[in-house]
Amino acid sequence: MDQEKLDQMRQIRNKLEDIKNSQESVIDKINHVITDLFQHPDADLEKAMEEAHQKSSDNVDAVREVIEDYDIKINKLENEG
């Protein structure tokens, strides 16, 4: 097993997790804006926030899939050693 390669892959995996967490934080902030719009309606802003929410959710799903695939590669390399 190439320990240096494995360490590098783990670092990349941590960065991917950070990206996913950041996107989840964006979703949370968008939800706060959407909640605020209940008291101060703005149809255009609501539509924009709903679209942003969907895009961010799609990004979380995409990064989650990448993480799962990358975990398989890491596990495979770990098991080779």
Side-chain angles (χ1 to χ4, degrees):
M1 167 177 35
D2 185 347
Q3 188 62 44
E4 184 177 334
K5 181 177 180 179
L6 188 56
D7 290 344
Q8 184 179 27
M9 290 176 75
R10 287 180 179 146
Q11 289 176 357
I12 292 170
R13 201 268 185 219
N14 289 339
K15 290 175 184 175
L16 291 169
E17 188 69 30
D18 187 48
I19 292 168
K20 183 180 71 69
N21 292 341
S22 296
Q23 281 296 309
E24 289 172 342
S25 178
V26 168
I27 290 170
D28 187 48
K29 291 173 184 178
I30 290 169
N31 284 337
H32 287 164
V33 171
I34 290 171
T35 300
D36 291 344
L37 289 172
F38 287 133
Q39 293 186 11
H40 305 287
D42 182 320
D44 294 334
L45 184 54
E46 184 176 341
K47 183 177 185 222
M49 289 297 94
E50 288 172 358
E51 290 173 4
H53 187 282
Q54 184 60 54
K55 290 176 184 176
S56 294
S57 293
D58 292 345
N59 286 341
V60 168
D61 291 342
V63 174
R64 186 177 291 123
E65 288 177 22
V66 168
I67 289 171
E68 289 171 4
D69 292 343
Y70 207 64
D71 281 343
I72 291 169
K73 290 179 182 180
I74 291 171
N75 290 335
K76 183 178 179 183
L77 186 60
E78 287 173 334
N79 292 329
E80 288 176 1

